[in-house]
Amino acid sequence: MSSKKKGTLSRTKDALKRAVASQPMQKVKFKWKRSLIMLALGILAYVILRLLLASDLDYGFAVWFVYEGIAGVCVIAYVITVRGNLSSTPTLPIDLPADWSEAEKSRYIEIEAERRRRGKKFLYIALPFIFAVMMGILSEIWWPMVQEGF
């Protein structure tokens, strides 16, 4: 039975090598400006969350649901916009059905690129709220528990 697993593993490894070899790696410059803006927006969202929680509102716990709701709706909208294609690489013409014409393949690739461009906007909204909720959980729930010794 172990030889059967080894055969499957080696076949999978060979298939992975062929797939990686068929798609050359490309260097992509890191987008520092965009990353720093996203980090700054996340910190701003966290500061607003802290201020709202510290203001002793009647229904202050609802702030958590609002932040989580905004992030969740944006992530769902992203998945719907890109039609569930969460791959980090764009679709290549060889990945499309063989019976499609070259015009159909190029049109599909153009449409997919447009979907990805529109979908990124939802992630730019969701990520600061996700960051704020994570930092809020650390500062409001986890750190007080650590200080008290569980």
Side-chain angles (χ1 to χ4, degrees), residues 52-135:
L52 288 172
L53 291 174
S55 66
D56 293 331
L57 299 171
D58 288 338
Y59 296 101
F61 66 91
V63 174
W64 289 102
F65 296 119
V66 171
Y67 268 57
E68 292 168 359
I70 291 170
V73 166
C74 288
V75 168
I76 291 170
Y78 170 76
V79 171
I80 290 171
T81 302
V82 298
R83 296 191 179 185
N85 184 2
L86 303 178
S87 172
S88 62
T89 58
T91 304
L92 298 173
I94 59 172
D95 298 331
L96 297 173
D99 58 340
W100 284 15
S101 68
E102 291 302 318
E104 288 175 319
K105 289 180 180 182
S106 65
R107 180 70 182 137
Y108 179 84
I109 291 171
E110 290 173 14
I111 290 170
E112 184 188 32
E114 176 63 23
R115 278 192 221 127
R116 285 176 180 264
R117 189 188 63 73
R118 283 186 283 140
K120 281 184 183 180
K121 294 175 184 175
F122 292 114
L123 289 182
Y124 292 147
I125 297 168
L127 288 176
F129 285 98
I130 292 170
F131 178 82
V133 168
M134 288 171 37
M135 292 304 297

